[in-house]
Amino acid sequence: MTRETRTVAALVGVVVTMGALAWAAVPFYNWFCRVTGFGGTTQVADSASEVVLDEVVRVRFDANVEPGLDWTFRPMQTRMDLKIGENGLAFYEAINNSDEPITGTASYNVAPEVSGYYFDKIQCFCFNEQTLQPGERVEMPVSFYVDPELVNDRDAGWVRDITLSYTFHRTEPKQAALDAAPADNVN
């Protein structure tokens, strides 16, 4: 093997490795955020907390839509005071202001970011895409609690105000995407 061939092979190896790392970066980052709460990513819980502390946390609610999405989207309450560990149930309202069905998916985070690891959602409209018919109005619940372990965290123990924020993005309905996919030819 000549020196030039080894150099080309090494460069191709570097390019393939960089491509593989770039491909894996998004799923790895999403996994990392879910596990650590990094970037204000909330946690998912199967059930409510069994421990409720006598300390109060204020949860504020925020709603946004991406430009071009003809929806009105707002929280039905601006804030809620709960004991840490107590289950909360909040509602958001969405209205399709257009003359066509629109499907949207909500992205979410909490602030301050350090509280993401301790903000647990039991049920949320953000877990599924939402399709609204023209003029349709829906109320969408989110059931959550703040994990009592928050108070023991050296970095997050000071948090007593959390903002839960959602942004709705227009998405292609999953069924429409499946219908549009080319069928495999089977002979």
Side-chain angles (χ1 to χ4, degrees), residues 9-149:
L11 290 174
V12 167
V14 167
V15 168
V16 168
T17 300
M18 290 176 68
L21 290 173
W23 175 80
V26 170
F28 178 75
Y29 181 77
N30 287 338
W31 169 82
F32 176 79
C33 289
R34 280 192 316 270
V35 169
T36 65
F38 183 77
T41 302
T42 62
Q43 307 301 305
V44 177
D46 293 329
S47 61
S49 173
E50 295 180 13
V51 176
V52 177
L53 303 180
D54 203 26
E55 291 189 51
V56 175
V57 64
R58 172 171 290 153
V59 179
R60 299 177 200 286
F61 302 95
D62 178 54
N64 306 282
V65 293
E66 74 176 349
L69 179 61
D70 195 12
W71 281 13
T72 300
F73 177 55
R74 66 176 190 86
M76 297 185 72
Q77 61 286 303
T78 57
R79 73 174 203 228
M80 186 179 292
D81 292 340
L82 300 166
K83 291 184 177 181
I84 295 177
E86 181 181 6
N87 192 52
L89 181 63
F91 288 87
Y92 282 76
E93 174 186 57
I95 303 169
N96 180 352
N97 300 311
S98 76
D99 59 357
E100 64 179 347
I102 297 178
T103 299
T105 303
S107 60
Y108 54 87
N109 68 348
V110 293
E113 292 180 1
V114 70
S115 64
Y117 186 74
Y118 299 101
F119 197 95
D120 291 277
K121 291 184 193 172
I122 301 167
Q123 182 60 39
C124 182
F125 60 89
C126 61
F127 296 159
N128 303 304
E129 62 184 23
Q130 306 294 323
T131 301
L132 274 64
Q133 298 304 314
E136 182 177 9
R137 177 192 169 277
V138 295
E139 293 181 9
M140 301 175 293
V142 56
S143 175
F144 65 93
Y145 66 92
V146 176
D147 190 326
E149 285 300 313

